[in-house]
C-alpha cells in the first residue's frame, strides 16, 4: 500500500498497420485481441486503443465501425508483429464476424483521418484484456463498408499498454 508520493505508471505504445483494403460490406480492416499468455505467464496487461489513423483513397466514402465484444471470428491468421501483449489479424483474413456490439461508427470521405478512440476505451475503463481463465479473449475490430464510389482504406491501430 502506498500512502505517500506519486504513482507513476509505465505505458508502452504500439501500432499495428494494415495493408490496403477495398471494402464492400463489413470488411474487416484489423482485428486485435489480448494474448492469453505473455512471457510464459498469464497476461494481465491492460491495453487501451488510442487512435485509428487511416487514409481513404480512390473515390467515394466509407463507414468504419468499431466492433467490441466479438465472440466468433473465424478464419483469422493471427500474427505477432511487435513485442506487444496484443496479437492481431493484420491481414484481416477472417471469413465471419458475429455477435458484436458497434461502439461507434465513423463516416469518412477520401483523405487522411485520425480517429480518437480514447473516449470509447480508456475514459470509460474499457480495455483489451485477457480472460482470467485464459480462454479465448474478446476481440475488437475496425470494419469498413463502402457507402459510395470505389474507396480503398489503409492505416494503423495505435494503442498503449499498462504493464
Amino acid at each position: 500500500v502506498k500512502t505517500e508520493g506519486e504513482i507513476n505508471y509505465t505505458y508502452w505504445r504500439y501500432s499495428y498497420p494494415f495493408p490496403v483494403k477495398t471494402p464492400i460490406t463489413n470488411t474487416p480492416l484489423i482485428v486485435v485481441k489480448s494474448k492469453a499468455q505473455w512471457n510464459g505467464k498469464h497476461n494481465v496487461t491492460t491495453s487501451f486503443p488510442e487512435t485509428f489513423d487511416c487514409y481513404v483513397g480512390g473515390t467515394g466514402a466509407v463507414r468504419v465501425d468499431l466492433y467490441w465484444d466479438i465472440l466468433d471470428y473465424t478464419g483469422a491468421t493471427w500474427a505477432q508483429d511487435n513485442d506487444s501483449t496484443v496479437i492481431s489479424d493484420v491481414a484481416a483474413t477472417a471469413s465471419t464476424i458475429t455477435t458484436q456490439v458497434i461502439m461507434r461508427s465513423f463516416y469518412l470521405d477520401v483523405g487522411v483521418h485520425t480517429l480518437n478512440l480514447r473516449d470509447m476505451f480508456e475514459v470509460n475503463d474499457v480495455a483489451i484484456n485477457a480472460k482470467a481463465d485464459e480462454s479465448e479473449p474478446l476481440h475488437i475490430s475496425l470494419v469498413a463498408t463502402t457507402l459510395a464510389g470505389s474507396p480503398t482504406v489503409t492505416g494503423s491501430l495505435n494503442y498503449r499498454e499498462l504493464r
Side-chain angles (χ1 to χ4, degrees):
V1 174
K2 187 166 182 148
T3 59
E4 295 181 13
E6 181 179 310
I7 297 175
N8 291 316
Y9 294 106
T10 300
Y11 286 100
W12 300 80
R13 286 195 159 76
Y14 295 95
S15 180
Y16 269 121
F18 62 89
V20 175
K21 303 290 177 105
T22 303
I24 301 171
T25 301
N26 293 334
T27 303
L29 299 174
I30 187 169
V31 180
V32 295
K33 68 178 181 177
S34 186
K35 290 180 176 178
Q37 291 196 348
W38 189 65
N39 286 341
K41 298 177 182 171
H42 178 65
N43 181 8
V44 295
T45 302
T46 300
S47 302
F48 298 105
E50 292 189 298
T51 60
F52 174 62
D53 297 322
C54 67
Y55 172 71
V56 178
T59 60
V62 296
R63 182 187 74 229
V64 175
D65 297 321
L66 175 61
Y67 286 177
W68 173 253
D69 202 19
I70 299 170
L71 299 174
D72 183 18
Y73 184 69
T74 57
T77 303
W78 297 103
Q80 176 63 21
D81 295 345
N82 51 33
D83 189 34
S84 171
T85 62
V86 173
I87 57 177
S88 172
D89 181 14
V90 292
T93 55
S95 55
T96 61
I97 296 179
T98 57
T99 319
Q100 71 277 349
V101 173
I102 298 177
M103 289 183 76
R104 182 153 182 203
S105 295
F106 302 92
Y107 295 87
L108 310 174
D109 56 359
V110 172
V112 176
H113 305 275
T114 297
L115 309 177
N116 179 7
L117 304 180
R118 286 181 198 94
D119 294 342
M120 278 76 63
F121 289 95
E122 187 170 3
V123 173
N124 292 317
D125 285 334
V126 176
I128 305 169
N129 293 73
K131 291 185 177 179
D133 64 0
E134 296 186 11
S135 63
E136 183 69 12
L138 300 176
H139 307 69
I140 67 162
S141 177
L142 288 152
V143 176
T145 298
T146 294
L147 300 176
S150 300
T152 59
V153 182
T154 188
S156 64
L157 175 64
N158 309 298
Y159 61 97
R160 67 183 186 164
E161 296 180 348
L162 174 60
R163 295 188 191 170

